[in-house]
Structure formats: structure tokens, C-alpha cells
């Protein structure tokens, strides 16, 4: 495998660049040092595994890794490992496997969504083309599998099951609700599969490779899935509510492209007969907003002020509070308080 060479890992950024997990850096000095040291090692291995002997391949496949990102999933691996022996072999490598898998899905997602931006830079499909973006995602999946094979058959099985859930969630989103299924319930099931499953495995891998008990693995995996859904829901709310590109994507892109996230689904389920603003918003949500700037601006303004935003925030709060509650049986170590604090951040950033 090639070495990282002179590439500089993106950890020169401050902890504010790590999204909700920046709070974890502030809970305990020793924990902060451990997480930062762990992330530096993750970045070194990550850059190694996103590179190829072919310079052109390296340029594309390392594109998003070098753009940075919140590193939510590797940080969760490292935090979960704090409940055992975080210095054990396999913890850093497991974190890299999770991030490689996540990066690969981003390349594919951007093709499906025809996204122009990712992590504040041009998406791979925009900078190159769809075919190269898809193949780059495939390359990263292959690299994740290579590293995963060194972690043992149990890790391979867990990752395979996770990937099945992730892909099934993506397919379910594309197909839509089953006949008679509540669209909100369907949406939450999709998020549990396409987002929650990989974050659950991140927490599980951290516990697993740190030598935690099977019960601790289960608790942390349950936490990861609940937190993952809350995290994605809060990102979707930020996409609507933020005035800047704080989500790393163009604000309002889901609305613009007709992707109905939770507040939109809640609004669509309301009775608009007695509320002209709800009725108007529903009409706009059923139209093509991709090219009509005036209609898009109107829909965004109505949605930002609509009661469905408050109801969606309540759902985020419910998932985050439940994630905190499942942690109760775990020992009172700094990482536990950090995980609680991360859930509080996810709640507060959508208010």
C-alpha cells in the first residue's frame, strides 16, 4: 500500500469543524487528547487508503477525504472505544473502514442527487463526471473491504449486514412508501437504514475492538442508530432553516429538488382546508421547484415559518433523548458524558 507522502491531513482545522462532536473535545482534557491523537492516526490511514499508484485515481478518490468533513463516524468509533481499551489494535482501522464506507456512499449519493457541492467543494460528479464519481465510490468500497478483511470474519459479517441495510434504505427511499404506509413512518425507517445503520456499526466497532462486553456493544450500537437518525433529521432541518451553507451543501437543496424531508412530510399530512398558508405550502411542495426561483423562495419562507418545523424538532428531540437514555447502564466515564453532550448539541442546533 502506498504511503501518505506529503499530503496534509485536514486535522489542522479547529474542533469547531467537527460538527456536534466538537463538544466531545471539551468534556475532559484527557479524553480530548485521546480523541485528537486517535483522529490524527485515522487521517493518516484514511489518506493512505484513498490513494492509488495511479495519480489520476488518487486525485478523485482522495477528493472528499481531503475536503475534511465532520468525521462523525470515526469520532464515534473512538468515543465508543473509551468504554474499553481504546489503544487496542483494530480501533483506528475500524474507524477508517467506517469512514471509507461513508465516503464511498457520498460519491454515489451525489450522482443520484445530481449534487453540485459536497463539504463546501465541488462534488466529484460535478468536477469530473457521473461515471468517474461512481467508479471512485466503488474504489473506496474496495479499499474498505481490503482493510476490513484484516479485522476478522466477525467484522466482515457485521459490515456486510450493515451495507445491506444501508442499500435497502436507499432503495426504499427511491421506491417510496408501501401502499397504505404512513409517509412519515416510511421516512424514519429509511433514515434508520441508510444513515443509522452505519453510525450504529461505528459505535459497535469501537466497543468491539476495544474489548468491551457483548452487552456494551449492543448498548452502543443501539445508541448509534438512534443518534444517527437524530443527526440526519437535524441536518435536514438545518438545510431548511440555515441562512448560510453551514450544512456543507447548498441551503434548501432538498426542497429545490423535490426531496421531501420530515417537516415537509408533516406539512403534507396536515389538513390545509382551514389554513391558507398550509394549503399554499402543500401546493408548492407538489410542484417542480427546481427551475422556478420565485416559487422556491416562497416555499422556503413558508416552510421555515410553518408549525411542521416545530413538530420535526420534537421528533429530533425524541430520538436524541432516547439515545441518551440507552446509555444509562454504561459506566460513568468521560466518554459517556461526551455522548450525552453530543445528543444535546444535535437538539440545540435545530432550535
Amino acid at each position: 500500500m502506498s504511503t501518505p507522502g506529503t499530503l496534509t491531513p485536514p486535522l489542522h482545522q479547529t474542533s469547531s469543524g467537527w460538527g456536534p462532536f466538537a463538544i466531545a473535545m471539551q468534556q475532559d482534557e484527557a479524553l480530548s487528547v485521546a480523541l485528537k491523537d486517535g483522529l490524527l492516526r485515522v487521517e493518516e490511514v484514511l489518506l493512505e487508503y484513498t490513494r492509488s499508484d495511479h495519480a489520476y485515481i488518487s486525485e478523485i478518490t482522495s477528493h472528499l477525504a481531503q475536503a475534511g468533513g465532520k468525521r462523525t463516524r470515526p469520532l464515534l468509533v473512538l468515543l465508543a472505544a473509551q468504554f474499553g481499551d481504546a489503544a487496542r489494535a483494530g480501533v483506528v482501522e475500524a474507524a477508517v473502514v467506517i469512514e471509507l464506507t461513508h465516503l464511498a456512499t457520498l460519491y454515489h449519493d451525489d450522482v443520484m442527487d445530481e449534487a453540485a457541492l459536497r463539504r463546501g467543494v465541488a462534488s466529484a460528479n460535478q468536477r469530473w463526471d457521473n461515471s468517474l464519481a461512481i467508479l471512485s465510490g466503488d474504489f473506496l468500497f474496495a479499499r474498505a473491504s481490503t482493510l476490513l478483511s484484516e479485522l476478522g470474519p466477525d467484522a466482515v459479517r457485521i459490515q456486510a449486514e450493515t451495507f445491506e441495510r444501508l442499500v435497502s434504505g436507499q432503495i426504499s427511499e427511491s421506491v417510496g412508501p408501501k401502499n397504505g404506509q404512513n409517509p412519515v413512518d416510511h421516512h424514519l425507517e429509511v433514515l434508520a437504514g441508510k444513515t443509522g445503520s452505519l453510525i450504529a456499526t461505528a459505535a459497535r466497532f469501537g466497543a468491539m475492538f476495544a474489548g468491551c462486553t457483548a452487552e456494551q456493544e449492543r448498548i452502543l450500537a443501539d445508541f448509534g442508530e438512534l443518534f444517527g437518525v437524530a443527526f440526519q433529521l437535524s441536518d435536514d432541518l438545518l438545510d431548511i432553516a440555515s441562512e448560510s451553507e453551514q450544512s456543507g451543501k447548498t441551503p434548501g437543496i432538498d426542497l429545490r429538488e423535490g426531496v421531501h424531508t420530515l417537516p415537509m412530510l408533516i406539512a403534507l399530512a396536515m389538513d390545509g382546508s382551514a389554513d391558507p398558508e398550509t394549503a399554499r405550502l402543500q401546493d408548492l411542495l407538489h410542484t417542480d421547484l427546481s427551475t422556478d426561483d420565485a416559487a422556491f423562495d416562497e416555499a422556503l419562507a413558508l416552510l421555515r415559518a410553518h408549525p411542521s418545523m416545530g413538530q420535526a424538532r420534537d421528533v429530533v428531540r425524541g430520538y436524541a433523548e432516547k439515545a441518551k437514555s440507552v446509555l444509562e447502564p454504561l459506566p460513568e466515564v468521560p466518554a459517556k458524558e461526551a455522548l450525552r453532550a453530543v445528543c444535546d448539541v444535535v437538539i440545540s442546533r435545530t432550535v
Side-chain angles (χ1 to χ4, degrees):
M1 185 65 62
S2 56
T3 58
T6 59
L7 288 175
T8 302
L11 280 175
H12 61 272
Q13 64 186 359
T14 65
S15 61
S16 62
W18 296 321
F21 276 83
I23 193 69
M25 305 296 190
Q26 304 165 15
Q27 296 302 300
D28 179 89
E29 185 176 354
L31 176 62
S32 175
V33 170
L35 292 175
K36 289 177 182 178
D37 287 348
L39 277 173
L40 283 170
R41 289 184 288 133
V42 166
E43 292 294 330
E44 290 171 358
V45 180
L46 180 64
L47 289 176
E48 177 182 351
Y49 273 80
T50 56
R51 295 183 71 209
S52 165
D53 292 334
H54 194 300
Y56 189 67
I57 294 176
S58 292
E59 181 184 5
I60 305 172
T61 56
S62 63
H63 175 62
L64 290 183
Q66 293 189 69
K70 295 182 285 288
R71 297 293 189 257
T72 299
R73 293 152 188 82
L75 272 166
L76 187 52
V77 174
L78 298 176
L79 266 173
Q82 292 292 318
F83 292 93
D85 180 2
R88 284 184 57 169
V91 171
V92 167
E93 290 76 10
V96 174
V97 166
I98 294 293
E99 186 66 4
L100 283 169
T101 304
H102 174 56
L103 288 171
T105 65
L106 297 185
Y107 280 86
H108 288 181
D109 285 350
D110 286 345
V111 171
M112 294 181 66
D113 298 340
E114 299 180 353
L117 284 176
R118 171 69 69 175
R119 295 181 171 177
V121 299
S123 61
N125 52 296
Q126 179 76 14
R127 182 169 173 180
W128 290 281
D129 61 35
N130 284 347
S131 295
L132 286 175
I134 291 170
L135 291 170
S136 296
D138 293 345
F139 177 93
L140 294 176
F141 280 129
R143 282 293 170 88
S145 298
T146 298
L147 184 54
L148 187 67
S149 68
E150 300 173 7
L151 298 179
D154 284 344
V156 172
R157 175 184 55 78
I158 292 167
Q159 178 77 347
E161 292 169 352
T162 302
F163 195 55
E164 179 182 347
R165 286 195 63 201
L166 192 158
V167 173
S168 296
Q170 186 68 65
I171 292 172
S172 181
E173 181 179 49
S174 299
V175 172
K178 302 172 186 175
N179 288 335
Q181 185 179 18
N182 184 298
V184 170
D185 292 341
H186 170 261
H187 181 67
L188 295 174
E189 287 179 10
V190 164
L191 294 188
K194 66 177 287 190
T195 301
S197 62
L198 187 59
I199 294 180
T201 297
R204 183 177 182 180
F205 272 179
M208 176 178 169
F209 288 102
C212 293
T213 66
E215 177 64 7
Q216 289 172 329
E217 280 185 42
R218 182 195 63 76
I219 289 170
L220 285 161
D222 288 347
F223 167 86
E225 181 150 337
L226 290 164
F227 170 76
V229 174
F231 180 75
Q232 184 60 59
L233 288 171
S234 69
D235 261 8
D236 292 343
L237 284 169
L238 283 174
D239 179 62
I240 297 166
S242 64
E243 296 289 347
S244 65
E245 294 181 4
Q246 68 188 94
S247 66
K249 300 186 292 184
T250 304
I253 191 169
D254 292 328
L255 178 64
R256 172 80 78 175
E257 298 299 330
V259 177
H260 290 167
T261 54
L262 183 60
M264 301 178 222
L265 292 171
I266 293 173
L268 286 169
M270 290 180 172
D271 182 1
S273 60
D275 181 2
E277 290 192 346
T278 295
R280 177 57 180 161
L281 177 58
Q282 290 172 340
D283 287 342
L284 289 167
L285 290 175
H286 285 303
T287 62
D288 182 3
L289 301 174
S290 62
T291 58
D292 190 334
D293 290 343
F296 167 75
D297 290 341
E298 182 186 0
L300 185 59
L302 285 170
L303 187 57
R304 284 173 170 170
H306 198 266
S308 62
M309 289 290 285
Q311 293 184 35
R313 290 186 180 102
D314 288 342
V315 175
V316 173
R317 184 177 296 106
Y319 272 94
E321 292 293 348
K322 189 172 181 181
K324 287 198 294 183
S325 70
V326 303
L327 295 172
E328 286 307 312
L330 294 176
E332 292 294 333
V333 298
K336 184 177 181 179
E337 187 56 36
L339 290 176
R340 290 191 186 112
V342 166
C343 290
D344 290 338
V345 171
V346 165
I347 295 170
S348 64
R349 72 178 187 151
T350 60
V351 174

